[in-house]
Amino acid sequence: DTGVSQDPRHKITKRGQNVTFRCDPISEHNRLYWYRQTLGQGPEFLTYFQNEAQLEKSRLLSDRFSAERPKGSFSTLEIQRTEQGDSAMYLCASSLRGGTEDYGYTFGSGTRLTVV
Amino acid sequence: AQRVTQPEKLLSVFKGAPVELKCNYSYSGSPELFWYVQYSRQRLQLLLRHISRESIKGFTADLNKGETSFHLKKPFAQEEDSAMYYCALRDRYGNKLVFGAGTILRVKS
């Protein structure tokens, strides 16, 4: 499968625990995005990387959230001290951007987080 | 602020009937608009983008800057078109997509 992979597919955690999700983008893609989607809503932007640099973070990304893309390949999204409001689908997408041209997002299947 | 509005949560039509999924946006500048689709148990995928001016699976969408709309249309709905459809706008810097809340399209036989 040469698409965007996300792991795990599902995660159930107790409130207050830390969780980490992983995203493996398409190998030649230089941009990687994290989105969050709650029931009845469209995906909401969290953050994105160009190569290993994190270039933008949404105000939705509180101090409890941190994302990394250490070698410009895979990325991790960590949520510390989870709260019930963090329950959502976390989507990763990647794209190839060259100059002003962007060849479109490819989305992963997402990680569904349930905080109990 | 950039915003995308999809006024209908659910659109139900009969097979063979025309379909129009509405999308309105607010954006100061030249927008870049997209339609994404998510079929049951599949990942979100690009359906079409306004700059391509193409028809995909019989769907078309025209950007109307005067009405700030980008409605998705298909003359004859098919059962396999049943899915969740999201309209999205790319921000002025071309860095991220802003999505609407989505419209479920149900095509009945």
Side-chain angles (χ1 to χ4, degrees):
Chain A
D1 184 359
T2 57
V4 177
S5 300
Q6 290 189 246
D7 185 69
R9 294 292 299 273
H10 304 275
K11 178 71 179 179
I12 300 174
T13 191
K14 291 184 178 179
R15 190 163 47 113
Q17 298 294 304
N18 299 344
V19 293
T20 300
F21 310 141
R22 177 179 169 123
C23 172
D24 286 90
I26 292 173
S27 57
E28 58 266 29
H29 284 184
N30 54 2
R31 285 203 170 182
L32 186 147
Y33 306 81
W34 285 100
Y35 281 76
R36 182 173 70 186
Q37 186 172 22
T38 52
L39 198 61
Q41 299 297 319
E44 296 173 295
F45 171 78
L46 292 179
T47 187
Y48 89 95
F49 294 82
Q50 176 142 327
N51 301 313
E52 65 274 12
Q54 188 174 19
L55 296 186
E56 186 176 349
K57 293 194 292 186
S58 162
R59 286 172 294 177
L60 291 175
L61 215 63
S62 76
D63 291 345
R64 296 184 297 105
F65 288 70
S66 62
E68 294 182 342
R69 194 182 183 199
K71 297 181 181 178
S73 57
F74 73 92
S75 175
T76 57
L77 177 68
E78 181 183 18
I79 309 174
Q80 296 182 324
R81 305 181 302 282
T82 51
E83 301 173 356
Q84 286 187 321
D86 297 332
S87 295
M89 176 73 87
Y90 290 84
L91 295 169
C92 177
S94 68
S95 72
L96 176 63
R97 185 171 175 91
T100 57
E101 190 61 40
D102 189 313
Y103 300 94
Y105 284 28
T106 302
F107 278 89
S109 297
T111 293
R112 181 169 295 285
L113 173 66
T114 303
V115 182
V116 296
Chain B
Q2 298 118 32
R3 187 165 55 244
V4 176
T5 303
Q6 294 180 251
E8 303 143 327
K9 284 202 173 296
L10 171 66
L11 181 64
S12 190
V13 301
F14 283 103
K15 178 181 167 183
V19 172
E20 183 177 51
L21 298 168
K22 291 184 166 45
C23 172
N24 290 89
Y25 65 90
S26 66
Y27 183 74
S28 54
S30 295
E32 193 175 0
L33 286 152
F34 304 80
W35 278 98
Y36 279 77
V37 61
Q38 187 166 26
Y39 300 102
S40 180
R41 303 184 188 282
Q42 294 187 27
R43 59 189 69 188
L44 198 56
Q45 57 187 283
L46 177 66
L47 180 61
L48 54 80
R49 50 198 299 186
H50 90 270
I51 59 173
S52 301
R53 302 187 66 82
E54 57 193 346
S55 173
I56 303 292
K57 300 185 178 184
F59 285 98
T60 59
D62 290 318
L63 179 61
N64 185 324
K65 291 186 179 181
E67 295 183 357
T68 59
S69 68
F70 188 56
H71 302 328
L72 184 68
K73 300 178 183 179
K74 184 169 182 176
F76 308 105
Q78 298 173 302
E79 288 181 72
E80 54 264 34
D81 296 329
S82 295
M84 174 70 94
Y85 290 80
Y86 293 98
C87 183
L89 177 151
R90 178 126 69 187
D91 74 354
R92 67 179 68 213
Y93 305 108
N95 292 334
K96 65 179 185 285
L97 289 173
V98 176
F99 286 86
T103 298
I104 299 170
L105 173 64
R106 285 207 187 119
V107 181
K108 301 175 288 188
S109 57

